[in-house]
Amino acid sequence: MTAGDTDIVIIGGGAAGIAAARRLQQAGIECLIVEARGRLGGRAWTVNDASGFALDLGCGWLHSADDNPWVDIARVQGATFDTAPPPWTRPSMTDVFPLAEQKDFQTALMNFFERVGPAAAADLAHGQDRPASDLLTPGDRWNGLLNAAATYIAGAEWARMSTIDFDRYRDTEINWRLTSGYGAMIARHGDGLPAALDCPVQRIDHSGKRIRIETKRGVIACNHVIVTLPSTILAGLERLFFPALPDKTEAALGLPLGLADKLFMTLDGAEEFEPESRLFGRTDRAATANYHFRPFGRPMIEAYFGGSLAHELETGGEEAFFDFAKTELTGQLGGGFAARIKPLRSHLWAADPYARGSYSYAVPGAAEQRAVLAAPVDQRLFFAGEACSRHDFSTAHGAYRSGIAAAEQAINVRRTEP
């Protein structure tokens, strides 16, 4: 592609971009997805290991599955669901983490969550927005593990998060998986959509009558644009828009992406462990991983690393994650366990140049920036992505809904144009 012309350009081919393009196609509107990667799906990415197992390196759980639009899409595709309760709703390995202590920790976690709603309401009434860490009980023995839980949920510790924004997250607590991969299903929904892959966007020039999308492969002229780039990318590319859009940059800065990296490991003698069992690497600190043994009954471990720990480990590359996991697992299960595991697959999302993180949270004081980020500009530039969602942020279904909403805005504008 050296030059092109279309009606609507969708920048970013993740869940939001695919949803927007599919809606525009249904409306009979010419559109083009422009994606920097060589694949569709964005932060939803399924790969297959040597045994053929589907591994979700990005999002893997259909959260709020009873109200998740991707469920119907997966059904149409003929995907197979696993509807068993997720591992975090079950006890951890009791021989490592005694059940009485687990119950004590769960009580502390539930008490923390129960404080969030009233605190958010009080903050709204008083025009303030405290960090969620203010709701921790000073000196509580479980504060470290509570912060670890925050990194698995949001990719950041409680001190970084807005209480108001966290309280707005909507969750029905129904969580399903797809044996063939969430990312694979999302990418498949993009099959047949017009897309320019391996095509990073360098500038969006909206100064003239028509918008010029400058890419490494040429210029595309269009009438409208739907921008679905991650908030970290929008925050880091102040020169992306011409004329500049400082309100968008400021909003994106208030909605950084938390970091949650996964490491899949093979497990010899897996039958020793119950399918879907789990284990915390440590229970006395935030810098610990959560280990999911035998997901789908497979002979492997899926390890989760979040927040500051994940950022620190990324500086050492993929091998640092395995070394850390090996140290924690041998500390809990004995030195001989090291010979039973091998690294299988991982992805460093903060180092990914087209993501720079995993999913968004709002910093204290930025709870209202999601609406700012989502607002159209001059009825020509529209915005979508999970960071634009008031209640479903950090999820693929939040991204989907925002993509549909942006497409509907564009469709409505076109109907009123001469």
Side-chain angles (χ1 to χ4, degrees):
M1 184 189 73
T2 56
D5 187 286
T6 191
D7 192 347
I8 300 180
V9 167
I10 300 154
I11 300 176
I18 291 170
R22 185 63 68 191
R23 178 66 188 94
L24 293 173
Q25 187 183 66
Q26 291 169 349
I29 297 173
E30 181 185 38
C31 65
L32 175 69
I33 294 174
V34 179
E35 167 57 46
R37 295 183 174 89
R39 61 173 179 84
L40 294 180
R43 287 170 277 162
W45 186 24
T46 303
V47 299
N48 291 319
D49 70 1
S51 300
F53 292 129
L55 309 178
D56 274 314
L57 297 179
C59 56
W61 291 90
L62 289 94
H63 298 300
S64 299
D66 53 340
D67 185 41
N68 186 324
W70 288 114
V71 168
D72 286 340
I73 294 168
R75 285 184 173 134
V76 169
Q77 292 182 8
T80 300
F81 295 90
D82 183 314
T83 61
W88 61 84
T89 65
R90 309 175 187 184
S92 297
M93 297 180 189
T94 55
D95 54 339
V96 177
F97 191 7
L99 188 58
E101 292 190 4
Q102 290 189 49
K103 290 181 178 179
D104 194 27
F105 166 66
Q106 288 297 325
T107 297
L109 183 63
M110 291 303 102
N111 288 342
F112 175 84
F113 286 155
E114 288 174 1
R115 291 193 286 270
V116 171
D123 281 359
L124 282 168
H126 293 92
Q128 63 183 12
D129 186 10
R130 289 171 290 176
S133 57
D134 282 8
L135 308 182
L136 294 171
T137 301
D140 191 291
R141 65 170 291 197
W142 297 115
N143 283 349
L145 198 56
L146 290 173
N147 259 312
T151 69
Y152 310 143
I153 295 169
E157 292 76 10
W158 296 120
R160 300 176 181 273
M161 278 187 273
S162 153
T163 298
I164 293 173
D165 185 68
F166 182 71
D167 181 59
R168 287 175 177 164
Y169 179 71
R170 178 173 53 199
D171 183 12
T172 69
E173 299 186 5
I174 303 297
N175 300 279
W176 297 350
R177 289 175 296 176
L178 297 171
T179 57
S180 56
Y182 201 172
M185 182 271 293
I186 290 172
R188 185 178 173 187
H189 192 54
D191 287 353
L193 293 173
L197 303 180
D198 295 310
C199 192
V201 170
Q202 299 170 317
R203 186 171 243 202
I204 303 169
D205 183 345
H206 58 108
S207 63
K209 184 176 181 180
R210 301 203 77 202
I211 301 171
R212 287 169 49 87
I213 310 298
E214 300 173 9
T215 80
K216 289 187 177 180
R217 295 174 55 192
V219 176
I220 309 168
C222 60
N223 298 314
H224 306 279
V225 175
I226 298 177
V227 180
T228 73
L229 298 175
S231 55
T232 44
I233 304 302
L234 293 175
L237 296 176
E238 292 187 29
R239 292 172 54 85
L240 177 64
F241 297 99
F242 179 78
L245 298 177
D247 287 351
K248 297 297 183 184
T249 302
E250 181 180 357
L253 286 169
L255 301 168
L257 297 191
L259 183 60
D261 287 330
K262 299 178 185 178
L263 167 66
F264 289 89
M265 296 172 281
T266 60
L267 174 60
D268 291 340
E271 61 278 359
E272 174 188 344
F273 300 94
E274 289 291 327
E276 311 293 354
S277 53
R278 70 165 180 154
L279 173 68
F280 290 113
R282 295 280 295 268
T283 60
D284 59 348
R285 66 186 189 191
T288 188
N290 192 5
Y291 300 93
H292 180 188
F293 281 66
R294 299 185 64 191
F296 298 104
R298 298 166 181 170
M300 62 178 63
I301 301 172
E302 185 177 3
Y304 295 80
F305 307 79
S308 299
L309 171 63
H311 279 286
E312 179 183 348
L313 291 175
E314 281 207 14
T315 64
E318 293 185 7
E319 61 275 11
F321 286 84
F322 180 66
D323 289 343
F324 185 90
K326 185 166 59 176
T327 298
E328 285 205 317
L329 289 171
T330 55
Q332 297 282 32
L333 301 173
F337 193 77
R340 298 174 60 180
I341 55 174
K342 293 179 181 178
L344 186 57
R345 195 64 189 265
S346 62
H347 184 68
L348 309 185
W349 286 104
D352 186 316
Y354 304 123
R356 298 300 185 191
S358 300
Y359 34 74
S360 69
Y361 64 92
V363 302
E368 307 308 326
Q369 293 296 342
R370 295 192 186 278
V372 176
L373 190 63
V377 174
D378 298 331
Q379 299 301 302
R380 296 204 300 164
L381 277 66
F382 305 92
F383 293 81
E386 54 85 11
C388 293
S389 176
R390 181 180 176 89
H391 298 293
D392 299 323
F393 52 86
S394 82
T395 68
H397 64 272
Y400 177 95
R401 289 188 170 123
S402 72
I404 296 295
E408 294 290 355
Q409 290 171 343
I411 291 168
N412 290 336
V413 167
R414 287 183 79 263
R415 287 172 178 162
T416 62
E417 290 176 339

